[in-house]
Amino acid sequence: MKGYQLTLYTQQNRRHQGRMLADWIVGVAMEMGLRGATLVSGIEGFGHTGQLHSRHFFEMADQPMLILLALTEAECDALLKRLEEEGVTLFYVRVPAEFGLLGAPLDT
């Protein structure tokens, strides 16, 4: 299947509708019936402002978070539109990708 790998970037301390933004986005992906999303916590990074975001022993609130999705063009457009309608501000990367499933589907 052809489509996109969409990577959304945020931090652990960002909230939307009372939830951690990254968790909220994964929930929206499930609600929309998308085939999957992976939430990845980063160790360190910096954004467009040059501010360093990192995971510290005592304070992990500023920890970088990435949400990775493999989507068709229509799914990608619909998700980005939904996030925009919700007023979510975040950086994303949309890269053309080929994706599929090898072997038999898992039972879990």
Side-chain angles (χ1 to χ4, degrees), residues 37-97:
T38 301
L39 179 57
V40 179
S41 58
I43 295 172
E44 190 170 85
F46 68 92
H48 67 281
T49 64
Q51 178 182 354
L52 184 66
H53 302 283
S54 65
R55 185 182 95 188
H56 302 286
F57 182 72
F58 293 107
E59 178 61 55
M60 294 198 305
D62 197 32
Q63 183 175 2
M65 305 295 286
L66 286 76
I67 304 101
L68 300 162
L69 305 104
L71 305 166
T72 64
E73 183 173 10
E75 292 168 338
C76 191
D77 291 343
L79 178 58
L80 291 173
K81 181 179 179 192
R82 171 77 185 273
L83 296 175
E84 188 172 11
E85 287 171 350
E86 288 282 344
V88 173
T89 301
L90 49 71
F91 181 76
Y92 71 91
V93 175
R94 177 178 173 160
V95 179

Side-chain angles (χ1 to χ4, degrees), residues 7-32:
T7 305
L8 307 168
Y9 295 80
T10 187
Q11 293 87 35
Q12 189 174 22
N13 61 349
R14 294 201 49 212
R15 301 271 184 242
H16 186 74
Q17 295 185 356
R19 294 176 59 191
M20 186 174 76
L21 178 60
D23 285 341
W24 180 84
I25 292 170
V26 170
V28 167
M30 290 178 70
E31 174 190 308
M32 292 177 68

